Amino acid sequence: MTVDLTLGHLMELYYFNDDDSISARALFMKFLTSPLFGVIISNYMPKKIKSFIPYLIGWVVFSTFFEWLTVKFDYLTYTGWKLWYSFIFYIFAVTFMRWNLFFIRKR
């Protein structure tokens, strides 16, 4: 069994707006929403780990729910991706943001 990890294959896991090509609208939405959510998540991130755990859970649940809504309303279409992949990804992404923010604020 071989796994094709080329960019073309990875791009086929999902697409936006019933269009499997890269559209200006989809790129705009990705480049707009991701940084905005990142700034909001980072800005209010608690410093203490005891406060961070519920914060992490809240953002992971919210992000997964938001993505589920985009699938439900046919803005995002999965072709090889699963919603639970995103749930796991969001756990790592928010944790990485906390780690990164630690080094940014340290300077």
Side-chain angles (χ1 to χ4, degrees):
M1 182 173 136
T2 62
V3 177
D4 184 11
L5 294 178
T6 61
L7 183 59
H9 180 71
L10 292 175
M11 296 293 284
E12 294 174 1
L13 295 175
Y14 60 89
Y15 56 87
F16 292 94
N17 295 330
D18 293 329
D19 186 8
D20 59 356
S21 64
I22 299 174
S23 68
R25 181 177 175 196
L27 279 176
F28 175 75
M29 290 302 294
K30 288 185 91 158
F31 287 135
L32 180 70
T33 57
S34 297
L36 290 177
F37 277 109
V39 167
I40 293 169
I41 292 170
S42 297
N43 193 42
Y44 296 103
M45 190 170 296
K47 292 182 181 179
K48 295 182 180 179
I49 192 73
K50 190 174 181 179
S51 302
F52 173 70
I53 300 300
Y55 188 79
L56 169 71
I57 293 168
W59 275 109
V60 168
V61 169
F62 172 78
S63 300
T64 306
F65 176 72
F66 183 78
E67 185 170 324
W68 175 79
L69 284 176
T70 63
V71 172
K72 186 78 172 158
F73 289 103
D74 294 326
Y75 179 72
L76 180 66
T77 303
Y78 293 149
T79 57
W81 192 257
K82 307 284 184 217
L83 187 62
W84 68 270
Y85 296 168
S86 295
F87 182 83
I88 294 169
F89 172 79
Y90 293 134
I91 292 171
F92 286 106
V94 175
T95 304
F96 178 77
M97 288 171 62
R98 178 180 171 82
W99 175 77
N100 190 31
L101 191 62
F102 171 77
F103 289 106
I104 291 171
R105 288 184 175 166
K106 193 174 182 179
R107 294 179 186 236

